[in-house]
């Protein structure tokens, strides 16, 4: 599971349309693109699908090219090797932005998954403070197929007794979301603020 409480500012890339949920309630759906730049100046346009409450009146407002400011909960899932980002918001957390507003995607990442086989590295910064780095994956089941989404974690305030931080352990954590580009694909990083052992079977 990967969820993110995010704040987004971007241009609409797909006109809003009215759809129905399984209970026959109307909602509005549209797309935005957020440019992301990697450390090596690689660039990627990140597609986010946005849904909000409303009908035709709301849909008429959010047209291609207009800028919007959005706050809400974004889920990240992978299917057939492709990442899907779906952002759910309310009308109160959605508004048109000025053309001068810059692109933005920031927020808090919430994660449940498994630490990879390489385990956890302990390092020291230039001031002698210990921090940990590791990668962990979230599993999405799509029929008989499994898709894995990896997140790289930086943990700058490790606590005593966190022996569960090792290869193969299941964890849940929360921290600052950081997005980048690696080999022309989106990379996810998280600066951990809290982490604990996750008992998956529960």
């Amino acid at each position: 599971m990967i969820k993110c409480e995010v704040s987004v500012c971007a241009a609409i890339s797909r006109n809003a349309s009215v759809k129905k949920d399984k209970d026959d309630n109307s909602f509005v759906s549209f797309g935005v693109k957020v440019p992301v730049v990697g450390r090596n100046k690689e660039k990627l346009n990140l597609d986010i699908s946005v849904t909000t409450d409303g009908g035709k009146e709301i849909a008429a407002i959010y047209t291609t090219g207009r800028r919007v400011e959005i706050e809400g909960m974004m889920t990240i899932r992978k299917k057939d090797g492709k990442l899907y980002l779906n952002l759910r918001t309310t009308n109160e957390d959605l508004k048109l932005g000025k053309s001068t507003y810059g692109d933005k995607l920031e927020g808090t990442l919430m994660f449940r998954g498994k630490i990879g086989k390489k385990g956890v590295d302990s390092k020291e910064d230039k001031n002698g403070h210990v921090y940990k780095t590791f990668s962990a994956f979230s599993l999405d089941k799509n029929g008989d197929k499994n898709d894995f989404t990896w997140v790289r974690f930086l943990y700058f305030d490790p606590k005593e007794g966190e022996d569960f931080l090792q290869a193969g352990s299941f964890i849940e954590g929360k921290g600052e979301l950081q997005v980048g580009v690696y080999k022309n694909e989106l990379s996810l990083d998280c600066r951990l603020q809290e982490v604990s052992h996750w008992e998956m079977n529960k």
Side-chain angles (χ1 to χ4, degrees), residues 1 112-114 164 170-172 196-202:
M1 178 214 78
R112 284 180 178 173
K114 185 178 182 180
F164 61 86
F170 291 93
I171 62 163
E172 55 183 334
S196 60
H197 177 63
W198 174 39
E199 295 186 32
M200 186 179 66
N201 292 333
K202 289 188 177 181

Side-chain angles (χ1 to χ4, degrees), residues 143-161:
D144 295 330
K145 292 186 61 178
N146 293 331
D147 283 288
F148 305 92
T149 302
W150 287 88
V151 179
R152 181 174 178 269
F153 292 94
L154 296 173
Y155 187 24
F156 285 99
D157 190 23
K159 310 295 191 301
E160 292 289 336

Side-chain angles (χ1 to χ4, degrees), residues 32-48 82-83 85 103 105 179-188:
V32 298
K33 281 188 183 293
V34 181
V36 177
V37 181
R39 295 178 181 176
N40 297 323
K41 306 302 180 183
E42 295 176 281
K43 295 182 179 180
L44 178 71
N45 283 321
L46 192 60
D47 291 306
I48 302 176
K82 182 178 179 180
L83 278 178
L85 288 76
D103 297 302
L105 171 58
V179 294
V181 186
Y182 180 68
K183 294 184 178 180
N184 296 317
E185 293 187 0
L186 177 69
S187 65
L188 297 171

Side-chain angles (χ1 to χ4, degrees), residues 75-143:
T75 58
I76 301 177
R77 292 181 58 86
K78 184 177 283 187
K79 183 177 181 180
D80 297 328
K82 182 178 179 180
L83 278 178
Y84 291 88
L85 288 76
N86 297 292
L87 174 54
R88 176 65 182 171
T89 187
T90 65
N91 294 337
E92 290 77 16
D93 296 319
L94 173 65
K95 60 183 179 179
L96 294 176
K98 296 181 180 180
S99 60
T100 54
Y101 289 0
D103 297 302
K104 178 179 71 173
L105 171 58
E106 59 187 29
T108 300
L109 181 144
M110 291 161 283
F111 176 90
R112 284 180 178 173
K114 185 178 182 180
I115 297 176
K117 293 180 180 179
K118 292 184 179 180
V120 179
D121 289 331
S122 293
K123 300 181 180 181
E124 287 189 6
D125 63 18
K126 60 183 180 181
N127 296 316
H129 298 135
V130 175
Y131 67 97
K132 295 180 183 293
T133 66
F134 61 92
S135 293
F137 64 86
S138 172
L139 171 65
D140 290 313
K141 284 187 171 294
N142 299 295

Side-chain angles (χ1 to χ4, degrees), residues 21-39:
D21 63 19
K22 61 183 180 181
D23 297 318
D24 204 38
N25 297 314
S26 296
F27 67 94
V28 173
S29 173
F30 63 92
V32 298
K33 281 188 183 293
V34 181
V36 177
V37 181
R39 295 178 181 176

